[in-house]
C-alpha cells in the first residue's frame, strides 16, 4: 500500500518515547532493597509497593482514557508527565524519620497516576494511526513500555550507588518525565480523512463506536475483563520470588540473577511478537494459546530447577506480557476507537485488582515460603486461574460474531 501523505511518523515516535519514559515505574525491584537500607524500613513493609504501583497506574489509565476521549491525548500526556515528575521529586525529599506509607503516596500514587495518564494516551494515539494493524500498534507500544525496565535497570542501579536513593529519584524526576512532556507537543491524532482512506483502501466500512455504557452490556467486555483479572495470577505470584526461589532450589547466584535479567527481554519480545501474530491468526486465539502455555508453566514451576527453571519462568513472563499488546486491540476491535481509552480503561481496571489480590492470596497461602522455599499452593492457584481465560476467550469470539451478524442484518 502506498504511504498515506497524512501519516505522521513523528507522532508515533513521540508516543513510543513517552511509553519508554514512564516504564521506569516498573523498576521498584531495583529500588526496594536500597530504599529499605537507606530509610530503615522493613522489607515486609514495602513489599506491597509494587502491587500499589500497578493498581494506581491502572486507575490512572482509566482516568487518562476518559481525559483522552474528552480533552485529547496531548492534555493527558502533559498532565501525566507533571504528576510523574512530581511523584519522583516528592520521593526524593523523604527522610528516614517519615512513615513508610509516604513512599506509597509519592512513588505509588502520585507517580503511578502520572504513568497511567501517559500510558493510556500514547497507546490510544498509536492505535488510531494503525487501525488496520491494531495488534502491531499495541505491540510496539507496550514493548517500549516493558523494554524500559530492562534497558534502564543498570543505569538506575548506578545512580543509586553514586547519588544514593534521594539523588537517584531527583535525577530521574528531571529526565524521563521531561522527555515525555516534550514529546507531547508532537502528539497528534489522525484526521477522519486519513481513517476513511484506510477503510476505502481495504474495501471496508466505518466501524461503529460504542460508548462505555453500551460496551459494558456486551459479553465481549466481560470476557476481556475476567481474562485480565485471572490470567496475570501466575505472574503476580511467581515473578516477585524468581531469584529467591532459584537459590532455594540450589541454583547459583549467577544463574538466578541471569533469570531475572532475561525476564525483561522475554517481556519485550513477547509483547511485540504476540501482538503482531494476533493480526494474522486472531486475538482471542493468540491469548488462548498463551493461557495454555502459562497453565503448563505454572504446573512445571512447582518442581523445575536449573535451566529448565529458567525456561519455565520465561514462559510465564511471555504468558503475561504477550496479551498486554493484544487486549487493547481486542477492545478497539469490538467497540471502536472513539471511546477506546475509556472502554479499555474500564476492563484494564481488573488487571489493577489482580495485582494486589493475588499478591495477598499468595502471601496468605504460602506464608512460610520465605523460610521453606515451598510456594506450591500459590503455583496451583496460578494454574487454576488460567482456566478462566481458556473459557472466556472462546465466548468472546462467539459473542463478537453474533453481534457483527446482528449489526449487518440491521444495516440491510
Amino acid at each position: 500500500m502506498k504511504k498515506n501523505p497524512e501519516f505522521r511518523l513523528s507522532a508515533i515516535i513521540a508516543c513510543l518515547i513517552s511509553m519508554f519514559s514512564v516504564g521506569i515505574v516498573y523498576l521498584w525491584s531495583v529500588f526496594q532493597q536500597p530504599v529499605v537500607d537507606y530509610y530503615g524500613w522493613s522489607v515486609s513493609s514495602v513489599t506491597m509497593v509494587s502491587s500499589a504501583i500497578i493498581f494506581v497506574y491502572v486507575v490512572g489509565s482509566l482516568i487518562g482514557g476518559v481525559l483522552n476521549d474528552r480533552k485529547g491525548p496531548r492534555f493527558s500526556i502533559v498532565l501525566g508527565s507533571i504528576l510523574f515528575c512530581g511523584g519522583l521529586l516528592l520521593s526524593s525529599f523523604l527522610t528516614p524519620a517519615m512513615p513508610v506509607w509516604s513512599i506509597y503516596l509519592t512513588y505509588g500514587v502520585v507517580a503511578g497516576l502520572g504513568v497511567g495518564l501517559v500510558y493510556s494516551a500514547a497507546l490510544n494515539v498509536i492505535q488510531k494511526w494503525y487501525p488496520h494493524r491494531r495488534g502491531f500498534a499495541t505491540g510496539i507500544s507496550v514493548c517500549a513500555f516493558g523494554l524500559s525496565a530492562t534497558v534502564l535497570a543498570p543505569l538506575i542501579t548506578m545512580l543509586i550507588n553514586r547519588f544514593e536513593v534521594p539523588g537517584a529519584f531527583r535525577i530521574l524526576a528531571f529526565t524521563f518525565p521531561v522527555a515525555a512532556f516534550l514529546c507531547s507537543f508532537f502528539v497528534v491524532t489522525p484526521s477522519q480523512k486519513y481513517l476513511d482512506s484506510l477503510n476505502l483502501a481495504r474495501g471496508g466500512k466505518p466501524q461503529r463506536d460504542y460508548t462505555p455504557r453500551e460496551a459494558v452490556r456486551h459479553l465481549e467486555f466481560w470476557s476481556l475483563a475476567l481474562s485480565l483479572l485471572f490470567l496475570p495470577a501466575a505472574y503476580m505470584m511467581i515473578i516477585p520470588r524468581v531469584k529467591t526461589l532459584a537459590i532455594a532450589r540450589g541454583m547459583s547466584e549467577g544463574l538466578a540473577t541471569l533469570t531475572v535479567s532475561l525476564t525483561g527481554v522475554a517481556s519485550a519480545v513477547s509483547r511485540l511478537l504476540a501482538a503482531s501474530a494476533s493480526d494474522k491468526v486472531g486475538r482471542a486465539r493468540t491469548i488462548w494459546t498463551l493461557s495454555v502455555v502459562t497453565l503448563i508453566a505454572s504446573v512445571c514451576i512447582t518442581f523445575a530447577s536449573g535451566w529448565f527453571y529458567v525456561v519455565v519462568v520465561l514462559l510465564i513472563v511471555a504468558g503475561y506480557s504477550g496479551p498486554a499488546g493484544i487486549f487493547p486491540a481486542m477492545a478497539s476491535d469490538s467497540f471502536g476507537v472513539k471511546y477506546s481509552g475509556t472502554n479499555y480503561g474500564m476492563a484494564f481496571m481488573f488487571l489493577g485488582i489482580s495485582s494486589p489480590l493475588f499478591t495477598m492470596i499468595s502471601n496468605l497461602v504460602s506464608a512460610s515460603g520465605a523460610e521453606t522455599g515451598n510456594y506450591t499452593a500459590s503455583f496451583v492457584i496460578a494454574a487454576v486461574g488460567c482456566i478462566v481465560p481458556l473459557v472466556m476467550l472462546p465466548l468472546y469470539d462467539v459473542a463478537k460474531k453474533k453481534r457483527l451478524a446482528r449489526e449487518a442484518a440491521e444495516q440491510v
Side-chain angles (χ1 to χ4, degrees), residues 281-296:
V281 303
R283 314 222 191 277
R285 183 179 299 178
T286 304
I287 299 180
W288 193 91
T289 302
L290 289 169
S291 300
V292 172
V293 170
T294 305
L295 192 157
I296 295 172

Side-chain angles (χ1 to χ4, degrees), residues 81-285:
S81 301
I82 293 172
L83 286 172
F84 188 37
C85 175
L88 293 175
L89 189 60
L90 288 172
S91 298
S92 74
F93 288 106
L94 300 181
T95 66
M98 292 183 176
V100 68
W101 58 258
S102 57
I103 191 69
Y104 283 85
L105 177 62
T106 59
Y107 188 83
V109 176
V110 180
L113 279 174
V115 170
L117 293 175
V118 175
Y119 177 92
S120 178
L123 176 63
N124 186 258
V125 169
I126 296 178
Q127 270 198 342
K128 286 181 176 178
W129 280 107
Y130 288 102
H132 53 309
R133 298 178 64 192
R134 287 191 183 121
F136 169 76
T138 54
I140 60 174
S141 301
V142 297
C143 179
F145 187 69
L147 193 62
S148 177
T150 301
V151 174
L152 298 178
L155 170 63
I156 293 176
T157 299
M158 181 193 72
L159 291 175
I160 293 172
N161 291 337
R162 184 167 182 178
F163 301 103
E164 296 189 313
V165 173
F169 277 137
R170 204 162 294 139
I171 292 171
L172 293 173
F174 290 106
T175 50
F176 295 104
V178 173
F181 177 85
L182 294 175
C183 284
S184 69
F185 295 99
F186 296 91
V187 173
V188 292
T189 53
S191 65
Q192 190 59 47
K193 179 181 177 182
Y194 171 85
L195 298 176
D196 290 343
S197 67
L198 288 178
N199 280 323
L200 290 173
R202 293 179 294 132
K205 297 179 180 180
Q207 182 182 5
R208 178 185 170 185
D209 293 303
Y210 286 77
T211 65
R213 182 173 295 182
E214 291 173 325
V216 297
R217 296 173 183 169
H218 292 271
L219 178 59
E220 293 151 83
F221 175 86
W222 294 105
S223 297
L224 291 177
L226 291 175
S227 296
L228 280 162
L229 176 64
F230 286 96
L231 184 55
Y235 183 91
M236 301 303 177
M237 291 181 165
I238 295 169
I239 296 305
R241 303 180 172 97
V242 166
K243 186 172 182 178
T244 55
L245 185 59
I247 294 174
R249 293 187 179 181
M251 296 168 60
S252 67
E253 177 81 20
L255 185 56
T257 302
L258 176 63
T259 305
V260 175
S261 300
L262 289 176
T263 59
V265 178
S267 176
V269 172
S270 61
R271 287 169 189 257
L272 181 58
L273 294 183
S276 297
S278 74
D279 281 332
K280 299 178 180 179
V281 303
R283 314 222 191 277
R285 183 179 299 178

Side-chain angles (χ1 to χ4, degrees), residues 13 76 96 133 148 252 271 284 293 317 338 378 381:
I13 295 175
S76 296
R133 298 178 64 192
S148 177
S252 67
R271 287 169 189 257
V293 170
V317 172
K338 185 176 181 179
S378 295
I381 292 174

Side-chain angles (χ1 to χ4, degrees), residues 67-68 70-82 117 121 184 187:
L67 290 175
N68 188 57
R70 294 181 179 181
K71 293 183 175 294
R74 184 173 298 172
F75 177 86
S76 296
I77 293 178
V78 168
L79 180 58
S81 301
I82 293 172
L117 293 175
S184 69
V187 173

